[in-house]
């Protein structure tokens, strides 16, 4: 067997495990579907707002360290334990700052005590998830996607079970938010135990120069991810402030399905990132071939998925969330129009990371965010959830153009 054949088989093997991780996002979709049916549009809108706001500030808790861990370990696997321990130490600082910023923002944006409390609880759950990102980054850098799948699956199974338990017991918004905290805390403990068993030395270390080097590498990623998450979730936050919780719930249902579909290209990108990072320093021609082939596959897949989603929007939303959410079909159809852009963007993100073009990622995300917010300011007051969906698609198209121009 040639080295190329071995690499191809390894890539397929990793893709299968990453696919299992991505497929487990279906468990979250099940939870959101049941939550929408049990809570109703208004309460589900409050939950969607809290989750969107928390996810925006989650990037402050990681600030690019996940991507740096993948790349550093992929290029030198002997540093896996060192990268893990120092990154965990840096995370203690960033998670504290990110959580504080979330508390301030939630208090400033919403006056309702239950919405604020939900934001605070979701923030606690996201602290645990941020630490799990470090674990996953090291495992992905080592290309141990089987163990990474176990970490992801454990997290999502716990979320589903805890969420269903509180909803079936008659719990509402705050009970569901509390379930997220408990599930994510237990998932982090299990992930830490698994990582310690695989790598040993699960601990926090401090070395000034190592921290400085890791953080210096992470800053462009961190800025990029902050902008990217703002771009992805600012629609829900703006809807909550400008149009109320019912409209946010309608859009939240559509966006959760759209986001679930978006796990497909993220799975491919998660496998591509360590492989492309290695090829960039060892085989530029192979790097180029893998990028072109991956773009062809992802865009073709996107067209197929978008066509199915567009024509089946109404029955899908009614089946998943119930008749009261049939209005979600309209923004979902609009979001489907942008799937080809999203699928290509994920592959180009992996390409830019592997080629050390973090500044390009920041530039593309920042321009896309500015366009998204400007369109939202015009479209949300006039068209509500449909306007937010339209703004998302336009922002994605602009981001794609910037990435293509920067990488060609």
């Amino acid at each position: 067997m040639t080295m190329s054949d071995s690499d191809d088989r390894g890539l397929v093997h990793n893709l299968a495990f990453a696919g299992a991780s991505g497929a487990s996002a279906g468990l979250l979709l099940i939870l959101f579907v049941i939550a929408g049916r049990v809570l109703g549009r208004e309460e589900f809108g409050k939950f969607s707002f809290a989750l969107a706001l928390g996810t925006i500030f989650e990037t402050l808790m990681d600030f690019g360290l996940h991507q740096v861990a993948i790349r550093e370990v992929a290029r030198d696997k002997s540093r896996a334990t060192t990268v893990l321990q120092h990154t965990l130490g840096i995370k203690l600082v960033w998670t504290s700052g990110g959580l504080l910023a979330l508390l301030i923002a939630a208090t400033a944006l919403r006056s309702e005590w239950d919405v604020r409390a939900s934001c605070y609880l979701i923030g606690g759950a996201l602290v645990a998830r941020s630490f799990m990102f470090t674990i996953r980054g090291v495992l992905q850098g080592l290309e141990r996607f089987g163990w990474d799948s176990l970490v992801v699956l454990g997290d999502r199974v716990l979320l589903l079970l805890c969420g269903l338990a509180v909803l079936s017991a008659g719990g509402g918004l705050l009970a569901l938010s509390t379930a997220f905290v408990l599930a994510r805390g237990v998932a982090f403990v299990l992930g830490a135990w698994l990582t310690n068993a695989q790598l040993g030395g699960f601990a926090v270390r401090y070395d000034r120069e190592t921290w400085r080097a890791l953080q210096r590498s992470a800053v462009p990623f961190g800025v990029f991810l902050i902008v990217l998450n703002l771009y992805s979730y600012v629609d829900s936050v703006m809807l909550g402030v400008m149009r109320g919780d019912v409209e946010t719930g309608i859009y939240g249902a559509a966006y959760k399905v759209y986001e679930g579909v978006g796990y497909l290209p993220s799975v491919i990108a998660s496998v591509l990132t360590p492989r492309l990072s290695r090829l960039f320093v060892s085989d530029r021609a192979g790097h180029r071939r893998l990028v072109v082939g991956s773009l062809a596959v992802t865009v073709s897949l996107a067209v197929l998925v978008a066509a199915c989603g567009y024509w089946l929007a109404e029955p899908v939303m009614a089946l998943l969330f119930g008749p009261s959410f049939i209005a979600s079909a309209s923004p979902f159809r609009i979001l489907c129009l942008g799937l080809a852009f999203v699928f290509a963007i994920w592959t180009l993100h992996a390409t830019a990371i592997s080629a050390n073009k973090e500044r390009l990622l920041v530039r593309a995300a920042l321009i896309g965010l500015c366009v998204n917010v400007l369109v939202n300011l015009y479209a949300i007051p006039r068209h509500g959830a449909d306007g937010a969906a339209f703004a998302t698609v336009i922002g994605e198209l602009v981001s794609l153009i910037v990435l293509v121009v920067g990488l060609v």
Side-chain angles (χ1 to χ4, degrees), residues 70-299:
I70 295 174
R71 190 173 67 185
E72 292 296 315
V73 174
R75 291 178 175 176
D76 185 359
K77 291 179 170 55
S78 66
R79 298 188 64 226
T81 301
T82 298
V83 170
L84 172 67
Q85 293 175 344
H86 287 291
T87 303
L88 288 172
I90 301 173
K91 277 287 183 75
L92 291 175
V93 178
W94 280 113
T95 53
S96 299
L99 184 59
L100 178 61
L102 171 60
L103 300 183
I104 294 172
T107 304
L109 290 174
R110 299 298 294 263
S111 60
E112 306 93 324
W113 72 270
D114 56 341
V115 179
R116 287 180 174 181
S118 180
C119 291
Y120 303 157
L121 289 167
I122 292 296
L126 292 175
V127 168
R129 192 169 90 136
S130 181
F131 280 100
M132 280 194 292
F133 272 145
T134 296
I135 293 172
R136 294 189 60 203
V138 173
L139 292 174
Q140 289 174 12
L142 291 169
E143 298 196 49
R144 296 187 185 180
F145 284 91
W147 297 111
D148 177 58
S149 295
L150 285 178
V151 173
V152 176
L153 185 60
D155 172 54
R156 289 170 178 167
V157 167
L158 284 168
L159 277 176
L160 178 62
L161 294 178
C162 291
L164 291 181
V166 299
L167 290 172
S168 62
L173 172 65
L174 297 184
L176 181 59
S177 302
T178 302
F180 265 64
V181 179
L182 295 175
R184 284 265 154 82
V186 174
F188 169 65
V189 171
L190 293 176
W193 173 81
L194 175 64
T195 305
N196 188 64
Q198 289 299 305
L199 301 178
F202 190 90
V204 173
R205 288 178 59 187
Y206 172 75
D207 176 77
R208 182 177 179 180
E209 292 305 317
T210 303
W211 278 34
R212 180 179 296 175
L214 287 172
Q215 193 59 75
R216 187 184 301 116
S217 299
V219 166
F221 290 119
V223 175
F224 160 67
L225 290 171
I226 289 173
V227 175
L228 181 64
N229 265 18
L230 273 170
Y231 166 77
S232 299
Y233 297 103
V234 71
D235 312 70
S236 294
V237 175
M238 293 178 72
L239 272 170
V241 174
M242 299 169 71
R243 291 290 292 248
D245 294 317
V246 172
E247 196 83 20
T248 307
I250 291 172
Y251 182 71
Y255 197 82
K256 285 304 174 188
V257 179
Y258 169 76
E259 193 175 37
V261 174
Y263 276 102
L264 291 172
S266 73
V267 166
I268 298 173
S270 69
V271 174
L272 286 176
T273 300
R275 184 60 57 91
L276 287 173
S277 295
R278 179 166 58 83
L279 287 174
F280 185 76
V281 296
S282 63
D283 182 3
R284 291 292 179 91
H287 180 273
R288 190 178 305 108
R289 286 194 301 271
L290 184 55
V291 170
V292 173
S294 299
L295 279 173
V297 170
T298 52
V299 172

